[in-house]
Short mmCIF file of all heavy atoms in Angstrom, two decimals:
data_model
loop_
_atom_site.label_atom_id
_atom_site.label_comp_id
_atom_site.label_asym_id
_atom_site.label_seq_id
_atom_site.Cartn_x
_atom_site.Cartn_y
_atom_site.Cartn_z
N LYS A 81 -4.77 -7.69 46.29
CA LYS A 81 -4.99 -8.03 47.67
C LYS A 81 -6.45 -8.30 47.90
O LYS A 81 -7.34 -7.67 47.28
CB LYS A 81 -4.54 -6.73 48.45
CG LYS A 81 -4.65 -6.88 49.98
CD LYS A 81 -4.09 -5.56 50.56
CE LYS A 81 -4.13 -5.56 52.12
NZ LYS A 81 -3.58 -4.24 52.65
N PHE A 129 -8.90 -7.13 57.29
CA PHE A 129 -9.29 -5.78 56.98
C PHE A 129 -8.09 -4.77 57.00
O PHE A 129 -8.17 -3.55 57.20
CB PHE A 129 -10.27 -5.26 58.07
CG PHE A 129 -11.65 -5.84 57.84
CD1 PHE A 129 -12.11 -6.94 58.60
CD2 PHE A 129 -12.48 -5.38 56.86
CE1 PHE A 129 -13.32 -7.53 58.39
CE2 PHE A 129 -13.72 -5.96 56.55
CZ PHE A 129 -14.16 -7.02 57.33
N GLY A 130 -6.90 -5.28 56.64
CA GLY A 130 -5.69 -4.47 56.51
C GLY A 130 -5.14 -4.09 57.82
O GLY A 130 -4.28 -3.15 57.95
N MET A 131 -5.56 -4.74 58.94
CA MET A 131 -5.06 -4.40 60.24
C MET A 131 -3.89 -5.30 60.73
O MET A 131 -4.14 -6.41 61.19
CB MET A 131 -6.23 -4.47 61.24
CG MET A 131 -7.35 -3.49 60.85
SD MET A 131 -8.71 -3.59 62.01
CE MET A 131 -9.83 -2.62 61.16
N GLY A 132 -2.72 -4.77 60.57
CA GLY A 132 -1.56 -5.56 60.99
C GLY A 132 -0.33 -5.15 60.23
O GLY A 132 -0.38 -4.41 59.29
N SER A 133 0.85 -5.66 60.66
CA SER A 133 2.09 -5.27 60.14
C SER A 133 2.93 -6.51 59.81
O SER A 133 4.15 -6.41 59.58
CB SER A 133 2.90 -4.44 61.02
OG SER A 133 2.12 -3.33 61.49
N ALA A 134 2.27 -7.70 59.75
CA ALA A 134 3.07 -8.85 59.58
C ALA A 134 2.33 -10.00 58.82
O ALA A 134 2.83 -11.12 58.65
CB ALA A 134 3.43 -9.44 60.96
N GLY A 155 3.21 -6.38 56.62
CA GLY A 155 1.77 -6.37 56.44
C GLY A 155 1.21 -4.98 56.43
O GLY A 155 2.02 -4.04 56.66
N SER A 156 0.02 -4.78 56.10
CA SER A 156 -0.89 -5.85 55.93
C SER A 156 -0.84 -6.49 54.50
O SER A 156 -1.32 -7.60 54.28
CB SER A 156 -2.34 -5.42 56.14
OG SER A 156 -2.73 -4.35 55.27
N SER A 157 -0.24 -5.80 53.54
CA SER A 157 -0.18 -6.39 52.18
C SER A 157 1.04 -7.30 52.04
O SER A 157 1.79 -7.25 51.04
CB SER A 157 -0.09 -5.28 51.10
OG SER A 157 -0.99 -4.20 51.36
N SER A 175 -3.22 -2.24 49.54
CA SER A 175 -3.74 -1.00 50.11
C SER A 175 -2.89 -0.61 51.21
O SER A 175 -2.24 -1.38 51.89
CB SER A 175 -5.19 -1.22 50.57
OG SER A 175 -5.18 -2.13 51.65
N ASP A 176 -2.86 0.75 51.47
CA ASP A 176 -2.00 1.33 52.42
C ASP A 176 -2.70 2.39 53.21
O ASP A 176 -3.04 3.43 52.74
CB ASP A 176 -0.83 2.00 51.64
CG ASP A 176 0.40 2.42 52.55
OD1 ASP A 176 0.12 3.05 53.56
OD2 ASP A 176 1.54 2.15 52.14
N THR A 177 -2.93 2.04 54.53
CA THR A 177 -3.62 2.89 55.46
C THR A 177 -2.61 3.61 56.37
O THR A 177 -2.81 4.73 56.89
CB THR A 177 -4.67 2.11 56.24
OG1 THR A 177 -5.53 1.42 55.29
CG2 THR A 177 -5.50 2.97 57.14
N GLY A 178 -1.55 2.81 56.66
CA GLY A 178 -0.54 3.31 57.57
C GLY A 178 0.83 2.72 57.21
O GLY A 178 1.70 2.67 58.07
N GLY A 179 0.96 2.26 56.00
CA GLY A 179 2.24 1.63 55.59
C GLY A 179 2.14 0.25 54.97
O GLY A 179 3.20 -0.35 54.65
N SER A 180 0.93 -0.21 54.82
CA SER A 180 0.75 -1.60 54.45
C SER A 180 1.24 -2.01 53.06
O SER A 180 1.37 -3.16 52.70
CB SER A 180 -0.80 -1.95 54.38
OG SER A 180 -1.10 -2.31 55.71
N VAL A 181 1.57 -1.00 52.17
CA VAL A 181 2.27 -1.30 50.95
C VAL A 181 3.73 -1.16 51.11
O VAL A 181 4.53 -1.99 50.71
CB VAL A 181 1.70 -0.42 49.80
CG1 VAL A 181 2.66 -0.37 48.66
CG2 VAL A 181 0.34 -1.03 49.35
N ARG A 182 4.17 -0.14 51.79
CA ARG A 182 5.61 0.21 51.86
C ARG A 182 6.37 -0.64 52.79
O ARG A 182 7.49 -1.09 52.48
CB ARG A 182 5.72 1.72 52.27
CG ARG A 182 5.25 2.65 51.15
CD ARG A 182 4.94 4.05 51.75
NE ARG A 182 3.73 4.08 52.49
CZ ARG A 182 3.54 4.75 53.59
NH1 ARG A 182 4.46 5.52 54.12
NH2 ARG A 182 2.32 4.78 54.22
N TYR A 208 -11.03 0.55 55.68
CA TYR A 208 -10.55 0.34 57.05
C TYR A 208 -10.64 1.74 57.75
O TYR A 208 -11.44 1.93 58.58
CB TYR A 208 -9.11 -0.22 56.94
CG TYR A 208 -8.16 -0.04 58.11
CD1 TYR A 208 -8.55 0.38 59.35
CD2 TYR A 208 -6.74 -0.34 57.92
CE1 TYR A 208 -7.64 0.50 60.39
CE2 TYR A 208 -5.86 -0.22 58.98
CZ TYR A 208 -6.38 0.21 60.19
OH TYR A 208 -5.39 0.39 61.18
N ASP A 213 -6.96 5.57 53.93
CA ASP A 213 -6.83 4.50 52.92
C ASP A 213 -6.39 4.98 51.51
O ASP A 213 -6.96 5.98 51.04
CB ASP A 213 -8.16 3.70 52.76
CG ASP A 213 -8.66 3.09 54.04
OD1 ASP A 213 -7.86 2.76 54.94
OD2 ASP A 213 -9.85 2.72 54.03
N TYR A 310 -2.12 8.17 64.95
CA TYR A 310 -2.60 7.23 63.85
C TYR A 310 -3.53 6.22 64.46
O TYR A 310 -4.59 6.00 63.89
CB TYR A 310 -1.37 6.60 63.23
CG TYR A 310 -1.76 5.36 62.31
CD1 TYR A 310 -2.20 5.64 61.00
CD2 TYR A 310 -1.71 4.08 62.78
CE1 TYR A 310 -2.57 4.63 60.18
CE2 TYR A 310 -2.10 3.06 61.93
CZ TYR A 310 -2.51 3.31 60.64
OH TYR A 310 -2.88 2.24 59.85
N TYR A 311 -3.19 5.61 65.65
CA TYR A 311 -4.04 4.55 66.12
C TYR A 311 -5.30 5.08 66.75
O TYR A 311 -6.30 4.38 66.67
CB TYR A 311 -3.23 3.65 67.01
CG TYR A 311 -2.50 2.57 66.21
CD1 TYR A 311 -1.16 2.76 65.81
CD2 TYR A 311 -3.15 1.46 65.71
CE1 TYR A 311 -0.52 1.82 65.00
CE2 TYR A 311 -2.53 0.53 64.83
CZ TYR A 311 -1.14 0.70 64.55
OH TYR A 311 -0.58 -0.16 63.71
N THR A 314 -7.40 5.98 63.35
CA THR A 314 -7.77 4.84 62.47
C THR A 314 -8.69 3.88 63.17
O THR A 314 -9.58 3.32 62.56
CB THR A 314 -6.55 4.10 61.93
OG1 THR A 314 -5.73 3.72 63.00
CG2 THR A 314 -5.75 4.94 60.90
N GLU A 355 -7.45 -9.08 66.57
CA GLU A 355 -6.88 -7.75 66.37
C GLU A 355 -8.01 -6.81 65.92
O GLU A 355 -8.09 -5.65 66.33
CB GLU A 355 -5.78 -7.83 65.31
CG GLU A 355 -5.09 -6.47 65.02
CD GLU A 355 -4.46 -5.84 66.27
OE1 GLU A 355 -4.09 -6.52 67.25
OE2 GLU A 355 -4.40 -4.54 66.31
N ARG A 359 -9.33 -3.41 67.85
CA ARG A 359 -9.41 -2.05 67.23
C ARG A 359 -10.79 -1.48 67.30
O ARG A 359 -11.01 -0.27 67.45
CB ARG A 359 -8.83 -2.09 65.83
CG ARG A 359 -7.36 -2.42 65.84
CD ARG A 359 -6.73 -2.21 64.60
NE ARG A 359 -5.35 -2.69 64.60
CZ ARG A 359 -4.46 -2.36 63.75
NH1 ARG A 359 -4.67 -1.48 62.83
NH2 ARG A 359 -3.22 -2.92 63.80
N VAL A 422 4.27 -3.90 67.92
CA VAL A 422 4.03 -3.89 66.46
C VAL A 422 3.56 -2.52 66.02
O VAL A 422 4.01 -2.05 65.02
CB VAL A 422 3.08 -5.01 66.07
CG1 VAL A 422 2.74 -4.96 64.58
CG2 VAL A 422 3.63 -6.33 66.47
N TYR A 423 2.66 -1.88 66.75
CA TYR A 423 2.18 -0.59 66.36
C TYR A 423 3.32 0.40 66.23
O TYR A 423 3.42 1.20 65.33
CB TYR A 423 1.16 -0.02 67.37
CG TYR A 423 -0.12 -0.78 67.64
CD1 TYR A 423 -1.00 -0.49 68.67
CD2 TYR A 423 -0.51 -1.82 66.73
CE1 TYR A 423 -2.20 -1.21 68.85
CE2 TYR A 423 -1.70 -2.49 66.87
CZ TYR A 423 -2.53 -2.20 67.95
OH TYR A 423 -3.68 -2.91 68.09
N ASP A 426 5.44 0.95 63.15
CA ASP A 426 4.80 1.64 62.07
C ASP A 426 5.26 3.09 62.03
O ASP A 426 4.67 3.88 61.27
CB ASP A 426 3.28 1.54 62.12
CG ASP A 426 2.77 0.17 61.80
OD1 ASP A 426 3.44 -0.62 61.09
OD2 ASP A 426 1.64 -0.15 62.23
N THR A 429 6.01 4.87 58.68
CA THR A 429 5.11 4.79 57.55
C THR A 429 3.87 5.64 57.71
O THR A 429 3.27 6.12 56.79
CB THR A 429 4.80 3.38 57.17
OG1 THR A 429 4.41 2.66 58.37
CG2 THR A 429 5.92 2.62 56.49
N VAL A 430 3.39 5.73 58.98
CA VAL A 430 2.06 6.35 59.21
C VAL A 430 2.19 7.89 58.86
O VAL A 430 1.11 8.44 58.55
CB VAL A 430 1.56 6.19 60.69
CG1 VAL A 430 1.35 4.70 60.96
CG2 VAL A 430 2.49 6.79 61.72
N ASN A 433 0.46 8.79 55.63
CA ASN A 433 -1.05 8.67 55.66
C ASN A 433 -1.63 9.76 56.53
O ASN A 433 -2.73 10.23 56.24
CB ASN A 433 -1.45 7.33 56.19
CG ASN A 433 -0.83 6.18 55.35
OD1 ASN A 433 0.37 5.91 55.61
ND2 ASN A 433 -1.53 5.60 54.44
N1 LIG B 29 0.26 -1.66 60.25
C1 LIG B 29 -0.70 -0.62 60.18
C2 LIG B 29 -1.93 -1.00 60.86
O1 LIG B 29 -2.00 -2.05 61.32
C3 LIG B 29 -0.95 -0.23 58.70
C4 LIG B 29 -2.00 -1.06 58.08
C5 LIG B 29 -2.39 -0.61 56.67
O2 LIG B 29 -1.66 0.28 56.09
N2 LIG B 29 -3.47 -1.18 56.21
O3 LIG B 29 -2.90 -0.27 60.94
#
Side-chain angles (χ1 to χ4, degrees):
K81 182 177 181 180
F129 287 100
M131 298 178 187
S133 309
S156 61
S157 316
S175 65
D176 190 313
T177 306
S180 274
V181 157
R182 290 161 286 143
Y208 159 12
D213 296 339
Y310 170 81
Y311 277 95
T314 53
E355 181 60 27
R359 295 194 190 198
V422 176
Y423 297 170
D426 290 336
T429 47
V430 297
N433 307 76

